[in-house]
Amino acid sequence: MPVIRVLIVDDDKNLRKVLTIELSGEGFKVDGADSGAEAMDLLERDEYDVLLLDLNMPASTAWMS
């Protein structure tokens, strides 16, 4: 069975850490980003099956381009 890749995008470091620990423990491959710009960089380099996104993060022009 293939590993499911998850990208967590949230400016809350503690939330990213908890979600990473929990999801990794369930067998998911997890990466995290603390900004839209960092997430865009990761998305350009890798493919993800699931994106968990904080919709209340400060505005980022990276999402608009």
Side-chain angles (χ1 to χ4, degrees):
M1 184 163 157
V3 175
I4 296 175
R5 297 195 51 149
V6 178
L7 176 59
I8 301 169
V9 185
D10 199 304
D11 56 343
D12 184 331
K13 179 181 176 181
N14 292 326
L15 180 58
R16 281 194 326 272
K17 183 176 179 178
V18 168
L19 289 172
T20 298
I21 290 169
E22 292 297 321
L23 291 171
S24 295
E26 294 295 324
F28 295 94
K29 167 67 173 101
V30 181
D31 290 323
D34 64 1
S35 68
E38 184 179 0
M40 294 301 290
D41 287 340
L42 290 169
L43 288 165
E44 288 176 2
R45 288 183 282 172
D46 292 312
E47 292 185 15
Y48 294 90
D49 302 298
V50 177
L51 174 62
L52 298 178
L53 174 64
D54 177 0
L55 296 176
N56 293 317
M57 286 176 42
S60 173
T61 56
W63 294 116
M64 298 177 191
S65 55

